[in-house]
């Protein structure tokens, strides 16, 4: 008698009871004005836009839209604070304020995490355990540097730059703001920051924290709006430095706009990272690293391991393990503590991801998606795997910024290095192998700013982060992150 195949139905009968994080403790205003010169100021145009919860499409708050006049007001406030207060303070005094901000962030961590998940759609597990603690740690870390700058750059005169214009994306809203503001303040600069239009809330909460910390008026100014507001910051003639994190397309516009001016620039742009599994790798850990690298945070990660290269001899095994693990992923309510994959940040981004899934199929790649259900309301996308893809396919070349993974195989080290480097980007990569020598060989040949070995997506304030090629230039984090906010020429 033929043996009956046993079919495993994941998430059937094993459903976890809902465990949503409470929202009763969060304090959100119905309407947010601009934070300029230490005060909440109405936008000169009187215009406001909605920020919504991508998990249920409900409006969370109305946000002021800053125009040229408002940006000018913010730059003037930042310049005044720089000239009269901040540049005159000792590093030790600046450090005290930055420590205070970090401490208040820690105290309000739970509220910040819930707001981050509500506004951005990321699973609470991520915002609670990664985004918010790391953001506070960045303030702690740079507070420590504020009075030690001359030791970071011995025999060089360290001078602050002045007013920094900073523009951030929506994928790590609070963390990117921390990466920008903490080193700028530690080095003695004042800032005008614009958060992404779809996720402004935690930056505005940080403005409240700056007030609670007693930070002198005008040292941090937060102006909200979309690309046009960002362009007003970039083109303002009294800004000394532009720090931008976002897409390569906008990065190129910014670089052209500042060419020939005195402004210093750092650009942290897109990526198309290669995650490489060798046959001698610990395969279960590697598969977990791949899942973490592309599916958590909905693939909204600049350094997401969106291209997976598997050595041919273990390809079948890795595929089986990967599909099994994908079946157990929970897609749904970002506030639920069991959720692995929350909501896609916006309808626009969901449409972009859907467009690439269609392109992948049309290009002839084979697709796999788990059977999990996704909520009817809100912007959700199943984790998606493409295999039998070609190096020339658009899904292997272009940044999708969603939970979409393209798998290829390789036989030799030189083959995988040439395939992994065959991209306009150069932000990050991952290597999974048992051999230390192989890791060192790979890290020296992979053209990526960050290479993780036997792990993925690990961040630390003391560790520099940044790319090359079309992933941008300049480093954030660590001691390297200080030089982006200092004049070391003299
Ligand atoms: P985006 O470029 O569309 O927007 C980023 C920010 O720039 C937003 O605040 C936006 O309002 C603003 N902006 C848009 N047009 C502008 C203009 N002409 N002038 C000035 N500002 C302008 O990017 P996004 O969709 O918000 O974020 C996703 C991108 O960010 C991805 O490409 C991702 O890889 C990248 N990213 C990179 C890093 C890194 O460290 N390298 C980190 C996070 C995200």
């Amino acid at each position: 008698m033929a043996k009956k195949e046993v079919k495993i139905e994941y998430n059937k009968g094993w459903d976890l009871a809902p465990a949503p994080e409470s929202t009763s403790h969060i304090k959100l205003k119905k309407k947010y004005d601009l934070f300029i010169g230490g005060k909440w100021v109405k936008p000169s145009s009187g215009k406001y836009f909605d920020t919504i919860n991508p998990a249920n499409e409900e409006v969370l708050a109305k946000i002021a839209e800053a125009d040229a006049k408002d940006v000018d007001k913010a730059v003037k406030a930042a310049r005044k604070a720089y000239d009269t207060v901040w540049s005159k303070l000792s590093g030790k005094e600046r450090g005290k304020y930055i420590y205070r901000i970090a401490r208040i962030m820690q105290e309000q961590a739970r509220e910040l995490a819930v707001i981050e998940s509500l506004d951005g759609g990321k699973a609470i597990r991520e915002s609670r355990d990664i985004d918010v603690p790391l953001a506070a740690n960045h303030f702690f870390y740079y507070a420590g540097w504020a009075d030690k700058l001359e030791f970071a750059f011995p025999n060089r005169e360290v001078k602050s730059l002045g007013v920094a214009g900073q523009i951030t994306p929506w994928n790590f809203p609070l963390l990117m703001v921390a990466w920008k503001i903490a080193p700028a303040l530690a080095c003695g600069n004042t800032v005008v920051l614009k958060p992404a239009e779809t996720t402004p809330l935690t930056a505005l909460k940080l403005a409240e924290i700056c007030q609670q910390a007693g930070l002198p008026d005008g040292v941090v100014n937060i102006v909200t709006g979309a690309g046009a507001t960002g362009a007003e910051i970039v083109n303002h003639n009294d800004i000394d430095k532009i720090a931008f994190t976002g897409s390569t397309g906008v990065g190129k516009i910014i670089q052209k706009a500042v060419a020939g001016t005195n402004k210093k620039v750092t650009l942290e742009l897109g990526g198309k990272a290669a995650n490489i599994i060798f046959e001698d790798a610990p395969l279960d850990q590697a598969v977990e690293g791949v899942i973490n690298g592309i599916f958590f945070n909905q693939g909204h990660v600049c350094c997401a391991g969106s291209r997976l290269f598997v050595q041919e001899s273990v390809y079948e095994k890795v595929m089986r393990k990967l599909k099994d693990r994908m079946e157990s992923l929970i897609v749904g309510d970002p506030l639920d503590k069991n959720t692995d994959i929350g909501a896609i940040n916006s309808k626009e981004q969901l449409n972009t991801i859907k467009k690439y899934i269609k392109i992948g199929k049309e290009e002839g790649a084979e697709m796999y998606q788990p059977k999990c259900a996704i909520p009817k309301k809100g912007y959700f996308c199943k984790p998606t795997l493409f295999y039998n893809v070609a190096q020339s396919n658009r899904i292997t070349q272009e940044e999708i910024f969603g939970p979409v993974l393209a798998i290829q195989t390789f036989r030799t080290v030189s083959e995988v290095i040439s395939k992994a480097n065959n991209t306009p980007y150069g932000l990050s990569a991952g290597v999974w192998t048992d051999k230390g020598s192989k890791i060192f060989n790979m890290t020296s040949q992979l053209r990526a700013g960050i290479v993780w070995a036997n792990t993925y997506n690990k961040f630390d304030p003391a560790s520099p982060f940044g790319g090359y090629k079309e992933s941008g230039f300049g480093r954030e984090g660590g001691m390297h992150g200080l030089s982006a906010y200092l004049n070391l020429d003299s």
Side-chain angles (χ1 to χ4, degrees), residues 168 170-171 194 197 230 244-247 268-270 302 399 401:
T168 55
W170 45 258
N171 61 336
K194 190 197 86 63
E197 54 273 33
F244 172 77
T245 299
S247 60
E268 299 282 357
L269 309 176
C302 49
E399 186 184 41
F401 224 55

Side-chain angles (χ1 to χ4, degrees), residues 122 126 170-172 176 269-273 292-306 349 399-403 427-428 452 456-457 459 465:
K122 64 171 64 196
E126 299 263 317
W170 45 258
N171 61 336
F172 288 92
M176 291 300 112
L269 309 176
K272 192 76 187 173
N292 168 22
I294 181 66
F295 295 139
F296 293 168
N297 203 20
Q298 301 75 249
H300 297 338
V301 185
C302 49
C303 47
S306 51
Q349 185 58 23
E399 186 184 41
I400 301 173
F401 224 55
L427 189 58
S428 58
W452 285 288
Y456 206 85
N457 268 353
F459 301 94
F465 186 93

Side-chain angles (χ1 to χ4, degrees), residues 275 277 285-295 305 308 322 405 432 456:
N275 214 347
I277 303 182
Q285 282 102 311
V287 166
E288 200 52 39
V290 170
I291 296 277
N292 168 22
I294 181 66
F295 295 139
L308 174 63
L322 203 51
L405 177 65
W432 298 85
Y456 206 85

Side-chain angles (χ1 to χ4, degrees), residues 8-155:
I8 300 171
E9 296 227 35
Y10 289 90
N11 292 336
K12 270 268 169 81
W14 292 90
D15 288 350
L16 296 161
E21 173 70 48
S22 163
T23 53
S24 61
H25 57 97
I26 66 160
K27 292 180 213 89
L28 276 181
K29 293 193 266 186
K30 285 208 165 67
K31 197 165 160 184
Y32 281 90
D33 290 321
L34 307 166
F35 185 66
I36 298 176
K39 315 219 160 28
W40 294 98
V41 178
K42 296 209 175 310
S44 72
S45 67
K47 286 188 193 158
Y48 291 81
F49 61 93
D50 291 340
T51 187
I52 65 152
N53 177 348
N56 59 18
E57 300 165 57
E58 282 169 15
V59 176
L60 291 166
K62 293 215 165 290
I63 307 294
E65 188 179 319
D67 63 11
K69 272 193 198 157
D70 301 309
V71 168
D72 185 53
K73 223 186 260 175
V75 174
K76 286 198 169 104
R79 177 63 61 192
K80 186 172 165 215
Y82 177 75
D83 288 341
T84 59
V85 190
W86 203 244
S87 65
K88 299 206 172 350
L89 278 186
S90 67
K92 191 172 156 197
E93 290 305 311
R94 288 199 307 273
K96 283 187 197 167
Y97 284 108
I98 306 170
Y99 269 124
R100 211 176 290 163
I101 292 171
R103 290 299 301 270
I104 301 174
M105 283 174 83
Q106 275 190 328
E107 281 163 21
Q108 299 179 12
R110 196 160 157 231
E111 185 185 4
L112 289 170
V114 172
I115 294 174
E116 198 72 313
S117 286
L118 281 173
D119 204 20
K122 64 171 64 196
I124 188 74
R125 201 184 63 189
E126 299 263 317
S127 39
R128 182 198 59 203
D129 297 348
I130 300 169
D131 294 58
V132 175
L134 262 179
N137 284 349
H138 262 81
F139 278 94
F140 276 121
Y141 176 78
Y142 281 109
W145 272 119
D147 62 348
K148 302 173 194 69
L149 298 175
E150 62 271 36
F151 301 107
F153 305 98
N155 304 319

